[in-house]
Amino acid sequence: MLLAMTVAAVPAFGSELEELKAEMRRLQQRIEQLEERQKREAAQQPQPAAPTAAASPAAPAGGESVKAGTLPGSILIPGTATSLRPYVSVRIDATYDTAGRNNDTRNNDWATAVFAQPLRINSANRQRDDQFYGTARASRLGLDSSTPTPLGTLETKVEADFNAPNDYMGELASNGVMFRLRHAYGKLGNLLVGQTWSNYIDLRSYPETVDFNPPGNTTLLRQTQLRYTIPVGPTTLSLAVENPESLTSTPPVQTLSNSGRNDFDRIPDVTANWSWHGERAHLSLHAATMEYHNDFRTKRGYALGLSGSAALGTGTLVAGVQGGEGVGRYMFNSIMQGAADTGRDLLLWRAAGFHLGYTQPWTATLRSNVILSRTVFGANASADAYQRSAWAGKVDEFVPNRRVDQAFVNLFWSVTKNIETGIEYAWGERETFAGERGRQQRINAMIQYSLP
């Protein structure tokens, strides 16, 4: 039976096999026809030009190629006309004091502040010789941008570091430090609005120190402002209104809510800066006026300054002199000696200061600086007596000064394009109207990594 069924199925199987072979031949013919059609169509298409060596690289899938922006080290944001430059500076500072120091390193006093150096005769901090402090809190993050607009180029800058006061997460725990805004502004043509260095400042005349702070006769103000700059040939005139900060009393009094002499701000500070820029020198004449104001009294102070730089020999000379009445925070050494309300009168301190610095390049990667500075205060017996009594037994370091002297000698080494180190000896001495003295002797060291 099986044999009979097999013999009967052979003719049917043979017929299906022949049909399958015929179908395969028809499919093969169709494929050949399609291939021939593709060849004819390709021959009719224009051929693309061969790529040249200057051709741009192919764009990544799903986006545009990354292009260089107009700012050095910047990129053009795809799909926009904005150039963006991020930058990072990792900075490690170390200080070693052989003659005591202010112990408030949780704030900004880790850097030089000779105006508050412990006095030799009545400060426990004077007894604490040989102190070391290391920190990375001066490290920075920033973004620069540039965008063309119908009104001109819009420039913006945002920069922050970690040098803010920190009571809770310092060395005792994890060496945590707090984020601090340094710059945040926009500049369109000649108009600047935002927070940056005061218009009163002439940074180009500042000497170069390893210490995070320059000499105390200079100004260290970054504040919110509206500034307009008028260029006239090689000169510029900048006018600005800036955020005020009145300090007519000392903090121990200010902390009392019922003191009746609380400070407050009424009108902005006004600043002006005229600058001349030459090929080998520059000059700046700057002025500021500010109001001291509290619940009962008000007085207007002022500051005037002249500064500049010049190529001298193989190096560069920088110098500056400034002073005024109620200069206050417009000179670092006088930040606590601007004005004093004695209860009968609002008294403004008179102050003046100068600095002189010379930068000598030894090689393409080595340079050093020698810097001298002095700040002096006019005698004011009533203000001195009031502030001395306010601080006595609280923070003796803030007793008013008659004079503050400073000197720096340093050496910088540019290890590579992105790595720089520096070491410095810093000396300083303050003298009060009572003849008390406090002396600083410090070694500063720094290493900084910068990207890009």
Side-chain angles (χ1 to χ4, degrees):
M1 185 182 297
L2 180 59
L3 179 61
M5 291 174 62
T6 302
V7 172
V10 168
F13 179 76
S15 176
E16 291 177 2
L17 183 60
E18 289 301 324
E19 291 179 5
L20 182 60
K21 290 180 179 180
E23 184 65 27
M24 291 292 293
R25 286 194 294 270
R26 286 194 296 272
L27 289 174
Q28 183 66 34
Q29 290 173 358
R30 181 59 177 163
I31 291 172
E32 291 174 355
Q33 291 172 358
L34 292 173
E35 290 177 348
E36 185 64 26
R37 180 179 175 182
Q38 283 182 328
K39 289 179 182 178
R40 289 196 304 269
E41 291 177 350
Q44 296 172 359
Q45 297 267 345
Q47 297 298 314
T52 63
S56 299
E64 300 180 13
S65 59
V66 177
K67 300 178 182 179
T70 56
L71 296 173
S74 69
I75 62 171
L76 197 64
I77 300 177
T80 75
T82 298
S83 300
L84 187 67
R85 184 181 78 93
Y87 59 93
V88 177
S89 172
V90 177
R91 175 172 168 141
I92 314 301
D93 286 278
T95 67
Y96 188 83
D97 288 271
T98 63
R101 60 169 300 158
N102 188 298
N103 64 357
D104 191 14
T105 55
R106 294 172 300 176
N107 289 297
N108 296 318
D109 295 336
W110 66 273
T112 290
V114 178
F115 72 89
Q117 182 68 16
L119 298 171
R120 297 188 206 177
I121 59 175
N122 63 349
S123 173
N125 285 327
R126 172 61 185 89
Q127 312 301 322
R128 303 180 180 117
D129 296 340
D130 303 315
Q131 296 188 49
F132 174 85
Y133 181 72
T135 183
R137 59 199 292 176
S139 300
R140 300 177 190 172
L141 302 172
L143 285 174
D144 291 331
S145 77
S146 176
T147 307
T149 76
L151 299 178
T153 301
L154 172 62
E155 302 173 4
T156 68
K157 184 184 188 71
V158 176
E159 181 183 283
D161 65 11
F162 303 85
N163 197 36
N166 182 15
D167 288 334
Y168 304 106
M169 288 296 292
E171 298 163 83
L172 185 62
S174 59
N175 278 279
V177 291
M178 298 179 70
F179 213 40
R180 179 184 70 160
L181 183 66
R182 288 172 56 86
H183 302 277
Y185 66 85
K187 183 176 181 291
L188 182 61
N190 297 330
L191 181 67
L192 180 149
V193 181
Q195 176 174 305
T196 188
W197 292 110
S198 170
N199 181 50
Y200 180 82
I201 290 175
D202 176 27
L203 288 176
R204 191 174 168 186
S205 70
Y206 283 18
E208 184 180 36
T209 59
V210 175
D211 197 294
F212 189 64
N213 286 339
N217 72 292
T218 58
T219 308
L220 294 176
L221 280 182
R222 289 181 299 270
Q223 52 195 17
T224 303
Q225 61 194 272
L226 187 153
R227 180 195 304 179
Y228 191 79
T229 301
I230 306 168
V232 183
T235 70
T236 59
L237 175 63
S238 299
L239 305 172
V241 289
E242 308 189 16
N243 182 61
E245 179 56 42
S246 179
L247 182 61
T248 66
S249 303
T250 49
V253 175
Q254 283 186 302
T255 57
L256 301 177
S257 60
N258 61 348
S259 68
R261 287 177 288 167
N262 288 337
D263 298 323
F264 62 92
D265 301 315
R266 183 170 61 176
I267 59 176
D269 293 356
V270 179
T271 63
N273 193 321
W274 174 87
S275 299
W276 169 79
H277 299 276
E279 291 185 4
R280 294 174 56 83
H282 97 281
L283 191 67
S284 171
L285 177 63
H286 34 280
T289 179
M290 71 296 291
E291 182 184 67
Y292 290 93
H293 196 95
N294 63 23
D295 292 337
F296 297 124
R297 283 167 278 276
T298 181
K299 273 193 178 178
R300 179 154 292 277
Y302 69 90
L304 295 172
L306 177 66
S307 58
S309 67
L312 182 63
T314 58
T316 302
L317 180 72
V318 296
V321 59
Q322 67 169 327
E325 189 171 27
V327 178
R329 63 199 185 98
Y330 281 88
M331 187 160 60
F332 186 56
N333 279 339
S334 64
I335 194 170
M336 301 304 298
Q337 278 181 257
D341 189 330
T342 65
R344 296 182 299 274
D345 195 7
L346 180 57
L347 305 174
L348 302 185
W349 284 98
R350 291 182 178 177
F354 79 88
H355 71 262
L356 187 67
Y358 185 73
T359 302
Q360 174 64 56
W362 302 109
T363 69
T365 59
L366 285 175
R367 68 188 183 280
S368 59
N369 297 267
V370 178
I371 303 156
L372 298 173
S373 171
R374 169 170 285 187
T375 304
V376 295
F377 295 87
N380 192 327
S382 297
D384 179 56
Y386 171 75
Q387 290 192 222
R388 178 177 288 272
S389 64
W391 287 111
K394 300 178 178 67
V395 185
D396 291 328
E397 285 85 349
F398 289 157
V399 168
N401 295 305
R402 184 180 73 87
R403 190 182 75 198
V404 180
D405 294 327
Q406 291 179 260
F408 302 80
V409 179
N410 58 43
L411 179 68
F412 287 89
W413 176 31
S414 298
V415 183
T416 69
K417 177 183 177 181
N418 302 104
I419 303 176
E420 185 167 74
T421 64
I423 190 165
E424 173 179 81
Y425 173 72
W427 175 91
E429 185 175 75
R430 62 181 289 217
E431 180 184 354
T432 71
F433 286 95
E436 303 147 317
R437 295 175 185 265
R439 181 172 296 171
Q440 178 199 56
Q441 296 185 79
R442 169 178 289 187
I443 301 296
N444 292 308
M446 176 274 295
I447 181 167
Q448 181 169 293
Y449 312 93
S450 300
L451 294 174

